[in-house]
Amino acid sequence: MPISTLISLIPETDVTLRPTMGHHAHAAFLSILKQSNPEVAAAVHAPAAQKPFTVSPLIGKMETRGNLRYIRAGTECRLRFTFLNDELFQHFGKAFLTLTMPPIRLGEAVFQVRQMVSHATEERSWSKSETYAELVQSAKKNTRMSCRFYSPTAFRGMTPRGQETRKEAYLDLIRCYQSWVNKWNAFAPMEFDKTEILAFVREHIQLTSVATETKKLNFGQHSEFGWVGTCAFIFYPEHSFDENLLRAVNCLADFAFYCGTGYKTTMGMGQTRRID
């Protein structure tokens, strides 16, 4: 079951942070998981083509001071974690239900945990859960869709000689669908035909509007670039589609809310949501 949960955090003292805390949020996630089950924490930390979780950057009201971010004591902040299987969420949630939670450290800053929310409310629209079957059953047959990329998004590519990886920080809808279907097939109990879906996307998708900009994330020892913003696209011609394929591409666009898009989604990048 895909699950999106929000952790509310409160700094007890004024704190100063680097602009990007995604790698520290990743470390905090593994630290929480390790308290519940060290073996599971080690398993998800190990190299893998697809990871069963995503992590957001720190969300909250911050003042910019030069190249740093300043948060006043008592300001509510949030971290968003998503889970692509039930078991991982159960281990993570156990730390909140059965253990005394220590403060969460993001770099040198210390935050007290206020609450964890994993169901949708009017104030917490980023926290919710759905089964994979529910995502399939509720998928629409829309030919027009829009997405917003909330944190810098990029893809990993190869150099012309295929010897090294490089980062591709430009919007590519085919790569977006490739990212989404790879995550779906890695964790959902029912797979989509990746070849068929990507062929459908290549033949029929058309970008109709885009409003993005490139942003940099500081990961301490290095920086990453990616795009943020919105795009709208259409599947064309609208009257001649296989209904199952149209529902599948709608389903995957909905699934992006949980799986993110592209590279380093476990460190704050690629936070994505389908929008009206």
Side-chain angles (χ1 to χ4, degrees), residues 44-276:
V44 299
H45 186 51
Q50 303 295 337
K51 297 278 190 174
F53 68 98
T54 75
V55 173
S56 77
L58 185 67
I59 305 164
K61 185 177 180 181
M62 307 180 194
E63 299 176 20
T64 301
R65 296 185 177 183
N67 292 325
L68 300 174
R69 302 292 183 267
Y70 174 79
I71 305 176
R72 296 185 181 277
T75 301
E76 182 182 12
C77 300
R78 289 168 290 160
L79 284 174
R80 177 178 180 249
F81 301 127
T82 72
F83 305 82
L84 301 182
N85 64 44
D86 298 12
E87 182 180 0
L88 184 60
F89 175 73
Q90 291 168 4
H91 289 299
F92 184 85
K94 180 181 176 182
F96 291 86
L97 296 175
T98 63
L99 303 174
T100 301
M101 279 302 302
I104 287 180
R105 182 178 294 274
L106 301 177
E108 299 300 318
V110 177
F111 295 80
Q112 298 296 325
V113 176
R114 182 181 177 187
Q115 64 176 342
M116 180 179 78
V117 180
S118 55
H119 59 276
T121 68
E122 186 174 347
E123 298 80 16
R124 297 284 189 268
S125 65
W126 281 92
S127 55
K128 65 176 183 176
S129 62
E130 300 168 86
T131 66
Y132 284 100
E134 286 171 341
L135 282 167
V136 170
Q137 292 164 6
S138 65
K140 301 176 182 178
K141 295 182 286 185
N142 291 357
T143 56
R144 299 172 184 268
M145 290 180 257
S146 299
C147 288
R148 179 181 293 277
F149 302 90
Y150 287 84
S151 65
T153 305
F155 299 109
R156 178 184 288 144
M158 300 298 293
T159 62
R161 295 183 179 182
Q163 296 174 335
E164 301 174 0
T165 58
R166 64 182 178 186
K167 311 308 179 297
E168 299 173 348
Y170 57 87
L171 177 60
D172 182 334
L173 289 172
I174 296 173
R175 295 291 299 274
C176 289
Y177 268 98
Q178 183 180 44
S179 173
W180 302 338
V181 74
N182 283 342
K183 279 287 183 71
W184 179 280
N185 284 350
F187 301 107
M190 68 289 282
E191 289 191 3
F192 287 125
D193 187 322
K194 176 181 173 180
T195 300
E196 189 177 32
I197 284 177
L198 293 183
F200 177 80
V201 172
R202 289 189 185 96
E203 182 176 357
H204 297 291
I205 203 166
Q206 180 177 332
L207 188 66
T208 57
S209 70
V210 59
T212 60
E213 60 180 318
T214 301
K215 287 199 172 183
K216 180 176 73 172
L217 284 80
N218 184 338
F219 281 88
Q221 300 298 319
H222 70 287
S223 295
E224 299 282 358
F225 291 86
W227 80 84
V228 296
T230 61
C231 74
F233 50 95
I234 184 173
F235 287 90
Y236 181 86
E238 301 182 45
H239 61 276
S240 59
F241 293 135
D242 179 287
E243 181 176 305
N244 291 329
L245 282 173
L246 193 56
R247 287 172 64 91
V249 294
N250 274 265
C251 179
L252 290 170
D254 294 333
F255 180 57
F257 175 80
Y258 298 102
C259 70
T261 304
Y263 177 70
K264 285 197 172 181
T265 55
T266 61
M267 293 190 178
M269 296 183 70
Q271 295 274 293
T272 308
R273 188 168 198 170
R274 182 175 177 174
I275 57 176
D276 294 330

